mmCIF file with all atom_site columns, all heavy atoms in Angstrom:
data_model
loop_
_atom_site.group_PDB
_atom_site.id
_atom_site.type_symbol
_atom_site.label_atom_id
_atom_site.label_alt_id
_atom_site.label_comp_id
_atom_site.label_asym_id
_atom_site.label_entity_id
_atom_site.label_seq_id
_atom_site.pdbx_PDB_ins_code
_atom_site.Cartn_x
_atom_site.Cartn_y
_atom_site.Cartn_z
_atom_site.occupancy
_atom_site.B_iso_or_equiv
_atom_site.pdbx_formal_charge
_atom_site.auth_seq_id
_atom_site.auth_comp_id
_atom_site.auth_asym_id
_atom_site.auth_atom_id
_atom_site.pdbx_PDB_model_num
ATOM 1   N N   . ALA A 1 52 ? 13.245 3.039  7.168  1.00 0.00 ? 1070 ALA A N   1
ATOM 2   C CA  . ALA A 1 52 ? 12.710 3.640  8.349  1.00 0.00 ? 1070 ALA A CA  1
ATOM 3   C C   . ALA A 1 52 ? 12.080 5.020  8.009  1.00 0.00 ? 1070 ALA A C   1
ATOM 4   O O   . ALA A 1 52 ? 10.895 5.288  8.322  1.00 0.00 ? 1070 ALA A O   1
ATOM 5   C CB  . ALA A 1 52 ? 13.705 3.736  9.507  1.00 0.00 ? 1070 ALA A CB  1
ATOM 6   N N   . PRO A 1 53 ? 12.851 5.842  7.315  1.00 0.00 ? 1071 PRO A N   1
ATOM 7   C CA  . PRO A 1 53 ? 12.274 7.227  6.995  1.00 0.00 ? 1071 PRO A CA  1
ATOM 8   C C   . PRO A 1 53 ? 10.974 7.077  6.255  1.00 0.00 ? 1071 PRO A C   1
ATOM 9   O O   . PRO A 1 53 ? 10.063 7.861  6.392  1.00 0.00 ? 1071 PRO A O   1
ATOM 10  C CB  . PRO A 1 53 ? 13.411 7.945  6.177  1.00 0.00 ? 1071 PRO A CB  1
ATOM 11  C CG  . PRO A 1 53 ? 14.593 7.178  6.409  1.00 0.00 ? 1071 PRO A CG  1
ATOM 12  C CD  . PRO A 1 53 ? 14.157 5.683  6.720  1.00 0.00 ? 1071 PRO A CD  1
ATOM 13  N N   . LYS A 1 54 ? 10.919 6.165  5.285  1.00 0.00 ? 1072 LYS A N   1
ATOM 14  C CA  . LYS A 1 54 ? 9.801  5.932  4.402  1.00 0.00 ? 1072 LYS A CA  1
ATOM 15  C C   . LYS A 1 54 ? 8.556  5.586  5.340  1.00 0.00 ? 1072 LYS A C   1
ATOM 16  O O   . LYS A 1 54 ? 7.466  6.146  5.099  1.00 0.00 ? 1072 LYS A O   1
ATOM 17  C CB  . LYS A 1 54 ? 10.003 4.828  3.352  1.00 0.00 ? 1072 LYS A CB  1
ATOM 18  C CG  . LYS A 1 54 ? 10.939 5.268  2.204  1.00 0.00 ? 1072 LYS A CG  1
ATOM 19  C CD  . LYS A 1 54 ? 10.738 4.237  1.147  1.00 0.00 ? 1072 LYS A CD  1
ATOM 20  C CE  . LYS A 1 54 ? 12.251 4.028  0.541  1.00 0.00 ? 1072 LYS A CE  1
ATOM 21  N NZ  . LYS A 1 54 ? 12.334 2.760  -0.113 1.00 0.00 ? 1072 LYS A NZ  1
ATOM 22  N N   . ILE A 1 55 ? 8.811  4.641  6.143  1.00 0.00 ? 1073 ILE A N   1
ATOM 23  C CA  . ILE A 1 55 ? 7.619  4.144  6.983  1.00 0.00 ? 1073 ILE A CA  1
ATOM 24  C C   . ILE A 1 55 ? 7.142  5.236  7.907  1.00 0.00 ? 1073 ILE A C   1
ATOM 25  O O   . ILE A 1 55 ? 5.977  5.492  8.109  1.00 0.00 ? 1073 ILE A O   1
ATOM 26  C CB  . ILE A 1 55 ? 8.116  2.888  7.730  1.00 0.00 ? 1073 ILE A CB  1
ATOM 27  C CG1 . ILE A 1 55 ? 8.460  1.722  6.704  1.00 0.00 ? 1073 ILE A CG1 1
ATOM 28  C CG2 . ILE A 1 55 ? 6.956  2.390  8.664  1.00 0.00 ? 1073 ILE A CG2 1
ATOM 29  C CD1 . ILE A 1 55 ? 8.912  0.527  7.397  1.00 0.00 ? 1073 ILE A CD1 1
ATOM 30  N N   . HIS A 1 56 ? 8.147  5.935  8.447  1.00 0.00 ? 1074 HIS A N   1
ATOM 31  C CA  . HIS A 1 56 ? 7.709  6.987  9.420  1.00 0.00 ? 1074 HIS A CA  1
ATOM 32  C C   . HIS A 1 56 ? 7.005  8.066  8.709  1.00 0.00 ? 1074 HIS A C   1
ATOM 33  O O   . HIS A 1 56 ? 5.974  8.620  9.252  1.00 0.00 ? 1074 HIS A O   1
ATOM 34  C CB  . HIS A 1 56 ? 8.929  7.625  10.173 1.00 0.00 ? 1074 HIS A CB  1
ATOM 35  C CG  . HIS A 1 56 ? 9.400  6.669  11.265 1.00 0.00 ? 1074 HIS A CG  1
ATOM 36  N ND1 . HIS A 1 56 ? 8.668  6.363  12.345 1.00 0.00 ? 1074 HIS A ND1 1
ATOM 37  C CD2 . HIS A 1 56 ? 10.582 5.928  11.421 1.00 0.00 ? 1074 HIS A CD2 1
ATOM 38  C CE1 . HIS A 1 56 ? 9.367  5.513  13.076 1.00 0.00 ? 1074 HIS A CE1 1
ATOM 39  N NE2 . HIS A 1 56 ? 10.475 5.301  12.540 1.00 0.00 ? 1074 HIS A NE2 1
ATOM 40  N N   . ALA A 1 57 ? 7.395  8.425  7.473  1.00 0.00 ? 1075 ALA A N   1
ATOM 41  C CA  . ALA A 1 57 ? 6.761  9.474  6.672  1.00 0.00 ? 1075 ALA A CA  1
ATOM 42  C C   . ALA A 1 57 ? 5.353  8.914  6.358  1.00 0.00 ? 1075 ALA A C   1
ATOM 43  O O   . ALA A 1 57 ? 4.328  9.732  6.351  1.00 0.00 ? 1075 ALA A O   1
ATOM 44  C CB  . ALA A 1 57 ? 7.527  9.754  5.401  1.00 0.00 ? 1075 ALA A CB  1
ATOM 45  N N   . LEU A 1 58 ? 5.270  7.674  6.029  1.00 0.00 ? 1076 LEU A N   1
ATOM 46  C CA  . LEU A 1 58 ? 3.925  7.127  5.722  1.00 0.00 ? 1076 LEU A CA  1
ATOM 47  C C   . LEU A 1 58 ? 3.003  7.296  6.935  1.00 0.00 ? 1076 LEU A C   1
ATOM 48  O O   . LEU A 1 58 ? 1.787  7.721  6.787  1.00 0.00 ? 1076 LEU A O   1
ATOM 49  C CB  . LEU A 1 58 ? 4.147  5.573  5.346  1.00 0.00 ? 1076 LEU A CB  1
ATOM 50  C CG  . LEU A 1 58 ? 2.725  4.896  5.111  1.00 0.00 ? 1076 LEU A CG  1
ATOM 51  C CD1 . LEU A 1 58 ? 1.910  5.415  3.949  1.00 0.00 ? 1076 LEU A CD1 1
ATOM 52  C CD2 . LEU A 1 58 ? 3.096  3.303  4.948  1.00 0.00 ? 1076 LEU A CD2 1
ATOM 53  N N   . ARG A 1 59 ? 3.519  6.941  8.148  1.00 0.00 ? 1077 ARG A N   1
ATOM 54  C CA  . ARG A 1 59 ? 2.616  6.990  9.295  1.00 0.00 ? 1077 ARG A CA  1
ATOM 55  C C   . ARG A 1 59 ? 2.285  8.421  9.551  1.00 0.00 ? 1077 ARG A C   1
ATOM 56  O O   . ARG A 1 59 ? 1.117  8.739  9.862  1.00 0.00 ? 1077 ARG A O   1
ATOM 57  C CB  . ARG A 1 59 ? 3.427  6.479  10.519 1.00 0.00 ? 1077 ARG A CB  1
ATOM 58  C CG  . ARG A 1 59 ? 2.387  6.566  11.740 1.00 0.00 ? 1077 ARG A CG  1
ATOM 59  C CD  . ARG A 1 59 ? 2.966  5.920  13.009 1.00 0.00 ? 1077 ARG A CD  1
ATOM 60  N NE  . ARG A 1 59 ? 4.307  6.664  13.394 1.00 0.00 ? 1077 ARG A NE  1
ATOM 61  C CZ  . ARG A 1 59 ? 4.884  6.400  14.426 1.00 0.00 ? 1077 ARG A CZ  1
ATOM 62  N NH1 . ARG A 1 59 ? 4.518  5.564  15.304 1.00 0.00 ? 1077 ARG A NH1 1
ATOM 63  N NH2 . ARG A 1 59 ? 6.098  7.013  14.699 1.00 0.00 ? 1077 ARG A NH2 1
ATOM 64  N N   . GLU A 1 60 ? 3.094  9.322  9.385  1.00 0.00 ? 1078 GLU A N   1
ATOM 65  C CA  . GLU A 1 60 ? 2.881  10.770 9.645  1.00 0.00 ? 1078 GLU A CA  1
ATOM 66  C C   . GLU A 1 60 ? 1.772  11.217 8.628  1.00 0.00 ? 1078 GLU A C   1
ATOM 67  O O   . GLU A 1 60 ? 0.863  11.879 9.056  1.00 0.00 ? 1078 GLU A O   1
ATOM 68  C CB  . GLU A 1 60 ? 4.075  11.598 9.513  1.00 0.00 ? 1078 GLU A CB  1
ATOM 69  C CG  . GLU A 1 60 ? 3.938  12.947 10.254 1.00 0.00 ? 1078 GLU A CG  1
ATOM 70  C CD  . GLU A 1 60 ? 5.163  13.791 10.202 1.00 0.00 ? 1078 GLU A CD  1
ATOM 71  O OE1 . GLU A 1 60 ? 6.301  13.119 10.586 1.00 0.00 ? 1078 GLU A OE1 1
ATOM 72  O OE2 . GLU A 1 60 ? 5.094  14.924 9.843  1.00 0.00 ? 1078 GLU A OE2 1
ATOM 73  N N   . GLY A 1 61 ? 2.009  10.954 7.326  1.00 0.00 ? 1079 GLY A N   1
ATOM 74  C CA  . GLY A 1 61 ? 1.009  11.367 6.372  1.00 0.00 ? 1079 GLY A CA  1
ATOM 75  C C   . GLY A 1 61 ? -0.355 10.840 6.615  1.00 0.00 ? 1079 GLY A C   1
ATOM 76  O O   . GLY A 1 61 ? -1.301 11.561 6.505  1.00 0.00 ? 1079 GLY A O   1
ATOM 77  N N   . VAL A 1 62 ? -0.369 9.569  7.002  1.00 0.00 ? 1080 VAL A N   1
ATOM 78  C CA  . VAL A 1 62 ? -1.680 8.934  7.271  1.00 0.00 ? 1080 VAL A CA  1
ATOM 79  C C   . VAL A 1 62 ? -2.362 9.575  8.507  1.00 0.00 ? 1080 VAL A C   1
ATOM 80  O O   . VAL A 1 62 ? -3.560 9.886  8.561  1.00 0.00 ? 1080 VAL A O   1
ATOM 81  C CB  . VAL A 1 62 ? -1.581 7.419  7.443  1.00 0.00 ? 1080 VAL A CB  1
ATOM 82  C CG1 . VAL A 1 62 ? -2.705 6.813  8.069  1.00 0.00 ? 1080 VAL A CG1 1
ATOM 83  C CG2 . VAL A 1 62 ? -1.250 6.801  6.052  1.00 0.00 ? 1080 VAL A CG2 1
ATOM 84  N N   . THR A 1 63 ? -1.542 9.741  9.514  1.00 0.00 ? 1081 THR A N   1
ATOM 85  C CA  . THR A 1 63 ? -2.083 10.368 10.783 1.00 0.00 ? 1081 THR A CA  1
ATOM 86  C C   . THR A 1 63 ? -2.640 11.733 10.501 1.00 0.00 ? 1081 THR A C   1
ATOM 87  O O   . THR A 1 63 ? -3.729 12.075 10.965 1.00 0.00 ? 1081 THR A O   1
ATOM 88  C CB  . THR A 1 63 ? -0.921 10.475 11.853 1.00 0.00 ? 1081 THR A CB  1
ATOM 89  O OG1 . THR A 1 63 ? -0.301 9.201  12.032 1.00 0.00 ? 1081 THR A OG1 1
ATOM 90  C CG2 . THR A 1 63 ? -1.586 10.899 13.180 1.00 0.00 ? 1081 THR A CG2 1
ATOM 91  N N   . ASN A 1 64 ? -1.876 12.548 9.731  1.00 0.00 ? 1082 ASN A N   1
ATOM 92  C CA  . ASN A 1 64 ? -2.400 13.851 9.433  1.00 0.00 ? 1082 ASN A CA  1
ATOM 93  C C   . ASN A 1 64 ? -3.683 13.816 8.581  1.00 0.00 ? 1082 ASN A C   1
ATOM 94  O O   . ASN A 1 64 ? -4.651 14.646 8.828  1.00 0.00 ? 1082 ASN A O   1
ATOM 95  C CB  . ASN A 1 64 ? -1.308 14.760 8.707  1.00 0.00 ? 1082 ASN A CB  1
ATOM 96  C CG  . ASN A 1 64 ? -0.195 14.957 9.530  1.00 0.00 ? 1082 ASN A CG  1
ATOM 97  O OD1 . ASN A 1 64 ? -0.295 14.967 10.805 1.00 0.00 ? 1082 ASN A OD1 1
ATOM 98  N ND2 . ASN A 1 64 ? 1.008  15.339 9.037  1.00 0.00 ? 1082 ASN A ND2 1
ATOM 99  N N   . ALA A 1 65 ? -3.703 12.945 7.592  1.00 0.00 ? 1083 ALA A N   1
ATOM 100 C CA  . ALA A 1 65 ? -4.900 12.899 6.761  1.00 0.00 ? 1083 ALA A CA  1
ATOM 101 C C   . ALA A 1 65 ? -6.148 12.490 7.574  1.00 0.00 ? 1083 ALA A C   1
ATOM 102 O O   . ALA A 1 65 ? -7.224 12.986 7.358  1.00 0.00 ? 1083 ALA A O   1
ATOM 103 C CB  . ALA A 1 65 ? -4.583 11.832 5.664  1.00 0.00 ? 1083 ALA A CB  1
ATOM 104 N N   . ILE A 1 66 ? -6.002 11.599 8.502  1.00 0.00 ? 1084 ILE A N   1
ATOM 105 C CA  . ILE A 1 66 ? -7.080 11.121 9.344  1.00 0.00 ? 1084 ILE A CA  1
ATOM 106 C C   . ILE A 1 66 ? -7.516 12.316 10.158 1.00 0.00 ? 1084 ILE A C   1
ATOM 107 O O   . ILE A 1 66 ? -8.775 12.539 10.310 1.00 0.00 ? 1084 ILE A O   1
ATOM 108 C CB  . ILE A 1 66 ? -6.559 9.920  10.209 1.00 0.00 ? 1084 ILE A CB  1
ATOM 109 C CG1 . ILE A 1 66 ? -6.421 8.744  9.385  1.00 0.00 ? 1084 ILE A CG1 1
ATOM 110 C CG2 . ILE A 1 66 ? -7.728 9.655  11.352 1.00 0.00 ? 1084 ILE A CG2 1
ATOM 111 C CD1 . ILE A 1 66 ? -6.000 7.506  10.080 1.00 0.00 ? 1084 ILE A CD1 1
ATOM 112 N N   . ALA A 1 67 ? -6.611 13.124 10.749 1.00 0.00 ? 1085 ALA A N   1
ATOM 113 C CA  . ALA A 1 67 ? -7.016 14.113 11.582 1.00 0.00 ? 1085 ALA A CA  1
ATOM 114 C C   . ALA A 1 67 ? -7.811 15.245 10.783 1.00 0.00 ? 1085 ALA A C   1
ATOM 115 O O   . ALA A 1 67 ? -8.840 15.776 11.208 1.00 0.00 ? 1085 ALA A O   1
ATOM 116 C CB  . ALA A 1 67 ? -5.845 14.822 12.265 1.00 0.00 ? 1085 ALA A CB  1
#
Side-chain angles (χ1 to χ4, degrees):
K1072 286 192 216 157
I1073 299 177
H1074 284 295
L1076 172 64
R1077 181 176 58 174
E1078 198 179 311
V1080 162
T1081 307
N1082 291 341
I1084 289 179

